[in-house]
Amino acid sequence: MPGLRLRRERTGAASERARADVAASTAEAIAGIELPSDARAAAFFDLDNTVLRGASLFYLARGMHQRGLLRTSDILRFGRQQLQFAFGAEDPDHIVEARAAALSFIAGRSVEELSRVGEEIFEELMADKLWPGTQAIAQLHIDQGQRVWLVTAAPVEVATIIARRLGLTGALGTVAEHVDGEYTGRLVGDLLHGEDKAAAVRSLAEREGLDLGRCSAYSDSANDIPMLSLVGFPCAVNPDRKLRRHARKRGWRIRDYRARRRNTTLGLAAGTGAVAGAAVGIIAARKKR
């Protein structure tokens, strides 16, 4: 059947182009980066918009909604926050609101349930949203024998799942209190954000015997300037405007995978459009009831 054969050929060509784009992204990511094998050096990666396109918290919320574990009103709120994250607008007030909401919707649920569901959601919604370029840089650190951590305001359980799936050393994240195996809806300590994120990295470096002057850090957000300023080799990845200006002024490395290829930009637009579309669909369905 000529039509079917033509579709297969087009699909094959698209797959080849996708593989070529990943290879190009990988080559570009590690170009000019030389990392000596150094037991006292490590790398710290922010998660949302740095390693993962969009917000990990939204993907978790979306997956829980699909399983009937989250209300429609909550997923609509997360949809709006995802659009803000997707375009790099990490307003501190929005982040605090998002994390507080995350704590509220896991309250009363078991630690075991969140871990199990989180594994499933990673496979369903997050695995294909990872930035290949950032992954390549993380792998470069690993190949040089350096330890690599995710450092994020997202719940530590979610961050740990992603770190394990990527073969990283571990993760630092916001810790939700749990008693007798169930979440209470309260935090243990502070939200891991801004200065608190930097403090957590400093404490980890002391425990692990790391020399921060030999370490690297990667983030998309100006909120992480305190963490980036701690290390000898900071890098702005997919930076927001404020971080881009700061990085240029300081002479920091900049990697932006959003504009590297036209299809990357289109992919981002498609992702945010899907969120908006899902929200519209949910609203329409509710109006028909």
Side-chain angles (χ1 to χ4, degrees):
M1 298 176 65
L4 178 59
R5 183 164 56 252
L6 180 59
R7 285 195 297 272
R8 286 176 176 172
E9 290 174 354
R10 288 175 176 172
T11 300
S15 297
E16 286 296 328
R17 287 195 298 272
R19 284 192 288 270
D21 282 340
V22 170
S25 178
T26 299
E28 180 183 353
I30 63 177
I33 300 178
E34 297 182 4
L35 300 174
S37 180
D38 189 340
R40 298 194 65 196
F44 308 100
F45 286 79
D46 173 53
L47 176 57
D48 296 340
N49 278 343
T50 303
V51 173
L52 181 71
R53 188 172 74 240
S56 55
L57 185 60
F58 170 76
Y59 294 123
L60 177 64
R62 180 179 168 189
M64 293 184 72
H65 179 266
Q66 291 172 344
R67 289 164 172 77
L69 302 175
L70 194 61
R71 295 173 302 179
T72 297
S73 58
D74 292 324
I75 196 66
L76 291 174
R77 183 172 68 254
F78 286 121
R80 290 192 297 271
Q81 292 162 347
Q82 167 67 355
L83 291 175
Q84 292 166 342
F85 270 81
F87 289 102
E90 283 196 34
D91 183 273
D93 292 337
H94 290 145
I95 293 175
V96 171
E97 178 185 343
R99 306 313 175 195
L103 290 175
S104 68
F105 78 69
I106 65 173
R109 302 195 181 281
S110 72
V111 176
E112 186 279 331
E113 178 186 35
L114 184 63
S115 178
R116 173 178 52 79
V117 170
E119 293 278 0
E120 296 172 358
I121 292 172
F122 175 82
E123 288 294 339
E124 296 169 8
L125 302 175
M126 299 185 199
D128 64 348
K129 301 297 191 303
L130 300 169
W131 290 107
T134 312
Q135 281 187 272
I137 295 175
Q139 188 61 49
L140 183 62
H141 283 279
I142 294 170
D143 291 344
Q144 292 301 315
Q146 295 187 13
R147 287 163 284 180
V148 179
W149 280 273
L150 289 181
V151 188
T152 174
V156 69
E157 291 84 358
V158 175
T160 299
I161 289 170
I162 297 173
R164 184 172 63 251
R165 291 302 188 95
L166 296 181
L168 309 184
T169 307
L172 301 177
T174 297
V175 179
E177 181 185 72
H178 54 84
V179 176
D180 296 330
E182 290 191 353
Y183 292 104
T184 65
R186 295 186 294 270
L187 281 178
V188 176
D190 295 317
L191 185 78
L192 202 65
H193 179 257
E195 293 288 353
D196 290 305
K197 184 183 285 191
V201 168
R202 190 180 296 108
S203 295
L204 176 64
E206 291 175 359
R207 293 196 306 271
E208 298 289 329
L210 301 173
D211 181 347
L212 286 172
R214 303 181 187 184
C215 291
S216 304
Y218 303 83
S219 178
D220 71 294
S221 173
N223 296 317
D224 283 335
I225 287 175
M227 178 181 75
L228 293 167
S229 299
L230 281 179
V231 301
F233 303 97
C235 181
V237 178
N238 304 327
D240 60 27
R241 292 178 182 177
K242 184 176 179 180
L243 178 58
R244 185 182 293 274
R245 288 195 301 268
H246 188 89
R248 285 175 173 169
K249 182 178 179 180
R250 299 281 179 156
W252 293 354
R253 287 178 294 139
I254 298 174
R255 292 288 193 275
D256 197 333
Y257 304 115
R258 297 167 300 186
R260 187 189 62 81
R261 292 283 190 275
R262 181 172 178 268
N263 69 318
T264 301
T265 304
L266 290 175
L268 176 60
T272 56
V275 173
V280 170
I282 292 170
I283 293 171
R286 292 176 67 188
K287 287 181 177 179
K288 290 179 180 179
R289 293 176 185 173

